[in-house]
Amino acid sequence: PEKLKAPTPPTAPPDVIERIAKALLEADNPVIIPDRVGRSPVAYDALARLADLLTVPVIDQGTRHNFPTHHPMALTEMDAQVLGEADYILGLDVLDLYGALHTVDRLTRQTKPMFRKSTPIAHVCMDSYLVRSWSHDFRRLQETDELISADTAVFIPQLLERCASLLKDPAYAPAKQKIVRRAEKWRGRVEDLHAKWLTQAQTQRSETPIALSTLAFCVWNVIKDEPWILANGNLNRWVRRIWNIERCDQYLGKPPGGGLGYGIGATIGVALAHPDRLCVNLQADGDFLFTATGLWTAVHHRVPMLNVLVNNRSYYNSEEHAQRIAKHRGRPVENAPIGNRLEDPAVDFAKLAQSMGAYAEGPVLRSEDIEPALRRALRVIKTEKRPALVDVFTQNR
């Protein structure tokens, strides 16, 4: 094994780190956009400390979990405002930088920048070692003022150290004033957002089918005191809005390929890697049907995990797109569910799971029944060391 070590990670030259550090300190409204930084706990922790030091807003793209959800600079949900005011943008391991900086009309596919064209952009990633052509298979190539091939697990701590050192220099007294002004500007924004989202989750408790905000709140209420890890699912962003995700190893991130059938396989992998933690899978119904027999594998090999079946009875991404196109073309919108709905007959996911030996119940139709069902499933996971599934009828979005 000693002869097969990983190579030394590539680093940026000192003059590049110096240049980026000075750019961050001299900017009035810098912004940091991470995407796969969360692969490294060193990079994750250094990024949080850098945001603390400079009071820089962070817009987490979420391919991995890159930034604490309750951090005062976690302003992902305010990306349009933050980017619109930015005078310096630093991307860190962003898979699709163009997509991170633009909005897209889902009907016409036209994109619009959220940033001013004069704003300097720097990007630190190692994708240049992989991508060797002018074309990509995602969005389009984003122009940058500086493209730096370096491992962010090395680069971010170096950048943090250099910024801290420069701030001790009296010449950077104006930078300290800018940091204070940004702290005043953004103070309380994250707390206000979380309070608003919690209120919405409580307000929607009476709705049927069950709102995704309410489901996120109920699952969080059951697992928050457990040594949990989220392997899959984000409930249309409600997980990040409600849950307090403090560490990079608490959430695997979104499916990188975007294909159907990801959830169960990813969850089994995470559960095998973390046998001492409660592995949670917020499992979409259509995605589950592509690889449902993975649940049998988990039962057979005694891989305990909590699967919350998010059952909107539809391949809704396709159904929603069909609705939008039908309206645009003057076609009957009522035809959009054809080939997309999982009804007539409805799938009995609880019986499907039970047939493979898993503990299962549902469908849960009322919000007040979610937490008791999850707690019963949790008891089985702990005592019998086998997977459990709770089927919950939910709204589409």
Side-chain angles (χ1 to χ4, degrees):
E2 293 298 313
K3 300 290 187 180
L4 298 170
K5 291 181 179 179
T8 303
T11 61
D15 63 306
V16 173
I17 295 169
E18 179 85 2
R19 193 158 59 243
I20 300 298
K22 288 182 177 179
L24 284 171
L25 293 175
E26 292 168 2
D28 291 315
N29 296 297
V31 178
I32 296 176
I33 306 177
D35 192 18
R36 292 165 290 173
V37 167
R39 292 178 293 189
S40 162
V42 172
Y44 183 93
D45 294 341
L47 177 58
R49 291 167 59 197
L50 183 64
D52 284 331
L53 179 69
L54 303 182
T55 61
V56 177
V58 175
I59 301 174
D60 187 350
Q61 295 302 294
T63 296
R64 288 295 184 94
H65 172 61
N66 303 289
F67 198 68
T69 56
H70 283 50
H71 191 284
M73 291 293 106
L75 297 170
T76 304
E77 296 271 353
M78 299 178 63
D79 57 350
Q81 178 185 343
V82 170
L83 287 171
E85 298 173 359
D87 57 356
Y88 186 76
I89 297 171
L90 175 62
L92 297 171
D93 271 335
V94 185
L95 179 65
D96 181 6
L97 186 59
Y98 185 91
L101 297 174
H102 292 75
T103 60
V104 59
D105 186 313
R106 295 184 65 187
L107 180 64
T108 65
R109 312 309 298 171
Q110 294 296 310
T111 59
K112 292 182 179 179
M114 289 185 281
F115 64 101
R116 293 172 292 187
K117 288 297 181 74
S118 60
T119 302
I121 301 172
H123 190 199
V124 183
C125 70
M126 293 172 58
D127 288 352
S128 58
Y129 288 100
L130 175 67
V131 179
R132 296 181 298 277
S133 65
W134 60 266
S135 64
H136 290 231
D137 58 358
F138 50 83
R139 300 291 168 87
R140 66 178 71 166
L141 188 63
Q142 173 62 50
E143 295 177 349
T144 58
D145 297 274
E146 191 141 26
L147 184 59
I148 303 152
S149 291
D151 188 334
T152 52
V154 178
F155 180 88
I156 301 174
Q158 291 175 330
L159 180 63
L160 170 65
E161 181 181 2
R162 189 59 191 139
C163 286
S165 178
L166 287 173
L167 283 173
K168 296 175 183 178
D169 188 335
Y172 280 89
K176 292 182 179 179
Q177 296 171 2
K178 293 176 182 179
I179 290 170
V180 172
R181 284 199 296 269
R182 287 197 296 271
E184 288 293 327
K185 177 179 180 179
W186 300 116
R187 178 175 291 126
R189 297 292 189 97
V190 171
E191 290 87 349
D192 291 345
L193 285 172
H194 282 286
K196 181 186 76 172
W197 293 327
L198 286 170
T199 299
Q200 183 174 338
Q202 293 295 342
T203 302
Q204 292 186 295
R205 287 187 75 95
S206 60
E207 295 182 7
T208 54
I210 294 166
L212 296 182
S213 62
T214 301
L215 179 57
F217 176 83
C218 292
V219 176
W220 173 243
N221 210 33
V222 170
I223 71 159
K224 62 184 179 182
D225 295 323
E226 303 285 340
W228 60 271
I229 180 170
L230 178 60
N232 171 59
N234 62 30
L235 298 178
N236 199 30
R237 298 184 298 177
W238 279 103
V239 164
R240 293 182 55 82
R241 291 170 175 174
I242 300 289
W243 297 22
N244 183 14
I245 310 179
E246 300 177 294
R247 306 198 316 261
C248 65
D249 65 347
Q250 289 181 309
Y251 177 34
L252 185 62
K254 59 189 179 185
L260 289 167
Y262 171 87
I264 284 291
T267 304
I268 291 173
V270 171
L272 288 172
H274 298 276
D276 57 337
R277 297 168 69 178
L278 172 63
C279 186
V280 181
N281 174 25
L282 302 176
Q283 176 63 63
D285 51 351
D287 181 273
F288 179 67
L289 289 177
F290 273 72
T291 50
T293 52
L295 191 58
W296 180 91
T297 301
V299 174
H300 179 75
H301 292 286
R302 304 293 188 270
V303 183
M305 54 191 190
L306 176 60
N307 301 283
V308 182
L309 205 291
V310 186
N311 187 354
N312 65 2
R313 302 155 304 286
S314 172
Y315 290 106
Y316 191 68
N317 188 57
S318 295
E319 183 177 344
E320 184 182 44
H321 180 68
Q323 291 173 351
R324 190 176 290 109
I325 294 296
K327 289 179 182 178
H328 179 66
R329 296 179 178 174
R331 309 278 186 171
V333 176
E334 57 271 19
N335 288 345
I338 296 174
N340 292 317
R341 299 295 293 178
L342 297 172
E343 296 176 327
D344 192 25
V347 179
D348 192 331
F349 288 101
K351 285 185 178 179
L352 177 61
Q354 290 165 2
S355 75
M356 291 183 279
Y359 173 84
E361 59 177 281
V364 177
L365 305 178
R366 305 184 307 164
S367 62
E368 55 264 38
D369 296 330
I370 297 174
E371 292 187 32
L374 292 174
R375 294 189 192 283
R376 288 190 292 271
L378 196 54
R379 279 197 296 272
V380 171
I381 292 170
K382 289 181 175 182
T383 59
E384 302 180 24
K385 301 300 180 183
R386 62 177 171 135
L389 181 144
V390 177
D391 178 10
V392 182
F393 266 30
T394 70
Q395 298 175 12
N396 291 319
R397 295 287 187 205

